[in-house]
Amino acid sequence: MSNNTITYLLGNHAIAQAISQCSTDVVAGYPGTPSSEIIEFLAAMKPDCHIEWSVNEKAAMEVAIGASWAGGRSVVTMKHVGLNVASDPFMTLAYSGTRGGMIIISADDPGCHSSQNEQDNRRYAAFAQIPCLDPAVPQEAYDMVFYAFEFSEKFNMPVMLRPTTRVCHGKSNIKLRTSAPVHHEIGFQKIPSRWVMLPAHARLRHQDLINKQQEMMQELGLSKWNDLDIIEGAKIGIIASGVASVYTKECLKKFNTKASFLKISTYPPPVELIKELLGSVDKVLVIEEMEPIVEDVVRSISNSISNKEIEIHGKDIIPGYGELNVSIIASCMASSGFTDNQEEADIVDKTSIELPNRPPVMCPGCPHRATYYAMKKAFGKDAVFPGDIGCYTLGIQMETMDTCLCMGASITIATGIYHAGETKPICCSIGDSTFLHTGIPGLLNAVYNNADITVAILDNRTTAMTGHQPNPGTGQTVMGDATYMVSLEDIATSCGVQFVKVIDPFNVESTIEIFNKAKEHKGTSVVISKQECIITARRRGIKPRPFEVDIDKCNGCRMCIKFGCPAIQFADAQVEGEKGYAHISNLCAGCGVCASICPFDAIKEVC
Amino acid sequence: MIEFDLVIVGVGGQGAILSSDIVGLAAVNSGVPVQASETHGMAQRGGSVENHVRIGLTYGSLIPKRQADCILGLEPVEALRAVDYLSSGGVIVVNTNPILPITALSGACEYPDVDMMINELRNYCKELVAVDANSIAKQAGHPLTANVVMIGALSKFIPLSVEKLEESIRRLVPPKTVDVNIEAFRLGRLQ
Ligand code: SF4
Ligand code: SF4
């Protein structure tokens, strides 16, 4: 596919394509929206390189670092919050630097489409003092991969590529480059002054890192990712970064605004270009999603220009939260006098019909729903239910998700709640992949410090929310190869847990019973609720028979409706005085849990 | 160059991405640039999903409010929810079959009357095509072809040739289902 052809690709697919064309040797990552498809597409291409889902982002980062230090090209992928987990190696890597080219892909999620926060990882790049590339469109993300490897190898520095959701999940025509495979000489070289961060080495490496900054900034400033367009006689200057730059261009065209324009996609920001723009205008607006990173630089440059007073705007006008778009930028520009046009988007009339909300829900037949039903029955609705990150976070609809902070925090938060003196029973839930990601140290900690809590490990045999990736518990690698299938029971037992039980949540009665026993148990107890995700089960060809309601037996009590399966619906009585009844639609996945719940035995397998 | 802004809305799991892919790929194969944006992630579990396909545009993938040439609604409530994207001369193509959200299933709120919603949608557009895509899909040979029926109904309004659209369908649907999908597309076009 690599011969100047035009193709239609998802941003993440384009990134994967570039990674494979760059003869990358090792790619590691942990799934997380919006980054996951990069590794999935790459694995499907089966390039001649090692690809892995690591158990967490820290592991992935270190695997990629090792590969680079051995002389190979490497890439590590993660979502923005994943970099928090990987920040320990990340910060010191900047001191050590790299050997083979290394790219750190942090997929940011302004607008929190699928995330617990919307942190701006351009800040992380600045914190670590490593260069960062911020693509505006998928084509740029594709092209930047090639550039990033070359840059990394020139400066022996890792490069951060920071696509946002709109780039990762944007699709566009991509012009592919021609490329020839390159072989990298692999061989670890012992360079203790770089790879062994003893204080004496670290001090010197830190100086070296600072000394490199000027040269790196100059090189980035000259790159094609930044673009300055000075308009003769324009007194207004607009600076926009990354994705915001394309929205801004559309606005400027729409309004026919006479303004000089600087697009920025490299960090540290290009000082010379900013100076040039400031020299030609009186008033500047900086438009960037999230943090005022470019704005801060623009302000400090402006302060150093002594012979001129320039009016600078940025986060005083442009929101510092949420995603930007053309409509927001247009109305911000209009309200602050950067254009005379009134933005018509402000006067849109919404319909007066009240529309029902449509929150995401667990699938019909999802094993988590069954687990939560039993958990709530055993622990009571007043118990405390700390939670974690995955499809099962949707358990908030069943009132069994009282906290969700970050990956792996369920067990430790539960421990803290217990040690604070909470006397209500505490049962936390964590998925299989999340448990393996960062849950294990929390479980060990709970046992070690005598926390009297129950930990439910919702083992649906996959990493479901991010698109059903395999994990160490599934016995399969990302390439589909067989590997050792780690046992969650054994891990829990090794952590010192004295009560470990495995249950099938579709067996409602025994699940309730085991949860009751776990609750009674003094000390840390673990219940592993093991039942495959209905989606992966279906993909494997498992099709249980659906269920139906016998309307003669149905009493209209709505017990099954309260269970919350989207396949069950209530049909109100047509005639006043008569009872309504439940109805099961063709969405039924045949888990049979509603049949166990129905007190009138009215739900039966379709024969 | 032709420019056409299309908003596709529906419910997570309905296959809205396939619909936008058919259109986007047909445009690229016609030599026209495309910027599209898709909903992945959490909302795909039965939440509201919204895809934008900008044909002939080289800016960002998000369509500004009041600028879409067409809304393709795979579900009536979702079509109405997205109506503020439509320009005054725009077209709406909507599947009339409701999918009840959990909020309506549980009785927490009411699902609005479909005819009332279709009438309301008419107030926002120049032309509306209401399609019972589920029935037509069955007629074509498989209920899962409803989205392709909708693409058929949409095809009269987008500046792309029938050949290119059919070519994308052939490329994007599972090989065994090409024939039913092409039939679905053709039946949709008759709407
Ligand atoms: S994808 Fe699997 S785990 Fe996620 S909600 Fe659906 S059935 Fe449950
Ligand atoms: S058996 Fe009952 S609970 Fe399970 S998927 Fe079918 S309707 Fe839903």
Side-chain angles (χ1 to χ4, degrees), chain A residues 166 171 250 351 357-358 361, chain B residues 21 36-38 54 78 103:
Chain A
R166 285 299 154 206
K171 222 172 237 164
E250 185 167 355
T351 173
N357 274 338
R358 197 185 293 276
V361 283
Chain B
D21 273 353
S37 144
E38 297 173 351
R54 310 194 74 182
E78 297 312 319
T103 46

Side-chain angles (χ1 to χ4, degrees), chain A residues 6-8 10 33 37 113-114 136-138 165-166 169-174 243 246-247 249-250 253-254 323-327 343-345 347-363 369 390-391 393-394 397 464-468 535 558 561 564-570 587, chain B residues 3 5 10-12 17 20-25 28-29 32-48 50 53-54 57-67 75-78 80-85 99-107 109-113 116-117 120 124:
Chain A
I6 306 269
T7 139
Y8 184 53
L10 188 72
T33 315
E37 299 88 357
H113 295 280
S114 283
V137 289
T165 303
R166 285 299 154 206
H169 293 162
K171 222 172 237 164
S172 85
N173 45 299
I174 302 287
V243 173
V246 275
Y247 304 147
K249 270 195 197 158
E250 185 167 355
K253 185 182 160 219
K254 198 167 159 184
E323 229 187 337
L324 296 180
N325 58 40
V326 173
S327 308
E343 172 52 16
E344 53 174 340
I347 42 168
V348 175
D349 38 339
K350 274 264 184 190
T351 173
S352 58
I353 297 181
E354 214 171 300
L355 299 176
N357 274 338
R358 197 185 293 276
V361 283
M362 290 179 275
C363 305
R369 184 181 289 105
C391 282
T393 313
L394 296 170
Q397 287 151 4
M465 179 54 98
T466 46
H468 303 96
I535 303 289
R558 289 177 183 260
I561 302 282
C565 172
I568 316 178
Q569 188 176 335
F570 200 75
L587 295 173
Chain B
E3 287 184 8
D5 279 344
V11 178
I17 291 178
S20 46
D21 273 353
I22 293 171
V23 177
L25 184 64
V28 170
N29 286 341
V32 182
V34 176
Q35 291 287 344
S37 144
E38 297 173 351
T39 308
H40 292 237
M42 197 174 219
Q44 278 187 312
R45 304 267 173 277
S48 306
E50 185 181 298
V53 186
R54 310 194 74 182
L57 268 122
T58 51
Y59 298 113
S61 57
L62 292 183
I63 298 171
K65 296 273 154 102
R66 291 301 278 284
Q67 203 169 298
E75 202 277 346
V77 157
E78 297 312 319
L80 201 47
R81 210 192 297 283
V83 87
D84 54 340
Y85 278 113
I99 297 176
L100 266 52
I102 198 73
T103 46
L105 287 172
S106 67
C109 55
E110 193 100 3
Y111 189 92
D113 178 68
M116 180 176 81
M117 285 193 286
E120 174 78 353
Y124 290 88

Side-chain angles (χ1 to χ4, degrees), chain A residues 364-366 369 546-547 563 565-568 584-585 587-595 603:
Chain A
C366 174
R369 184 181 289 105
F547 282 65
F563 179 54
C565 172
I568 316 178
I584 292 180
S585 74
L587 295 173
C588 173
C591 73
V593 175
C594 59
I603 304 179

Side-chain angles (χ1 to χ4, degrees), chain A residues 259-419:
Chain A
S260 291
F261 181 70
L262 172 59
K263 177 230 176 197
I264 292 181
S265 272
T266 67
Y267 300 86
V271 171
E272 293 306 319
L273 294 178
I274 295 172
K275 275 191 188 151
E276 205 180 325
L277 178 82
L278 291 185
S280 75
V281 297
D282 298 334
K283 193 173 164 184
V284 169
L285 174 61
V286 184
I287 303 173
E288 54 193 324
E289 269 179 349
M290 299 292 126
E291 305 265 324
I293 292 171
V294 173
E295 183 184 339
D296 288 350
V297 173
V298 171
R299 285 187 191 280
S300 83
I301 295 173
S302 160
N303 288 340
S304 69
I305 304 177
S306 49
N307 58 353
K308 197 173 167 191
E309 193 64 37
I310 306 164
E311 191 183 328
I312 295 168
H313 294 280
K315 289 298 162 189
D316 53 335
I317 297 172
I318 307 289
Y321 52 85
E323 229 187 337
L324 296 180
N325 58 40
V326 173
S327 308
I328 294 173
I329 294 171
S331 61
C332 287
M333 282 178 68
S335 67
S336 55
F338 277 88
T339 167
D340 304 330
N341 298 48
Q342 259 311 315
E343 172 52 16
E344 53 174 340
D346 285 349
I347 42 168
V348 175
D349 38 339
K350 274 264 184 190
T351 173
S352 58
I353 297 181
E354 214 171 300
L355 299 176
N357 274 338
R358 197 185 293 276
V361 283
M362 290 179 275
C363 305
C366 174
H368 299 327
R369 184 181 289 105
T371 307
Y372 282 143
Y373 176 82
M375 186 190 286
K376 207 168 148 190
K377 275 268 175 240
F379 280 82
K381 66 176 183 352
D382 291 334
V384 185
F385 298 109
D388 228 297
I389 297 183
C391 282
Y392 53 92
T393 313
L394 296 170
I396 190 163
Q397 287 151 4
M398 300 184 76
E399 299 166 323
T400 46
M401 185 61 37
D402 293 335
T403 71
C404 169
L405 182 67
C406 63
M407 290 288 284
S410 54
I411 307 176
T412 27
I413 298 262
T415 304
I417 292 173
Y418 170 74
H419 287 308

Side-chain angles (χ1 to χ4, degrees), chain A residues 29-32 54-59 78-79 81-86 116 388-389 392 406-409 430-442 463 471-472 488 491:
Chain A
Y30 184 80
S54 307
V55 293
N56 64 32
E57 294 86 353
K58 178 176 170 349
M78 61 195 71
K79 69 184 291 171
V81 285
L83 191 52
N84 299 331
V85 180
Q116 67 269 38
D388 228 297
I389 297 183
Y392 53 92
C406 63
M407 290 288 284
I430 182 166
D432 49 344
S433 192
T434 310
F435 176 67
L436 296 167
H437 175 278
T438 33
I440 300 171
T463 313
N471 65 49
L488 302 183
I491 293 176

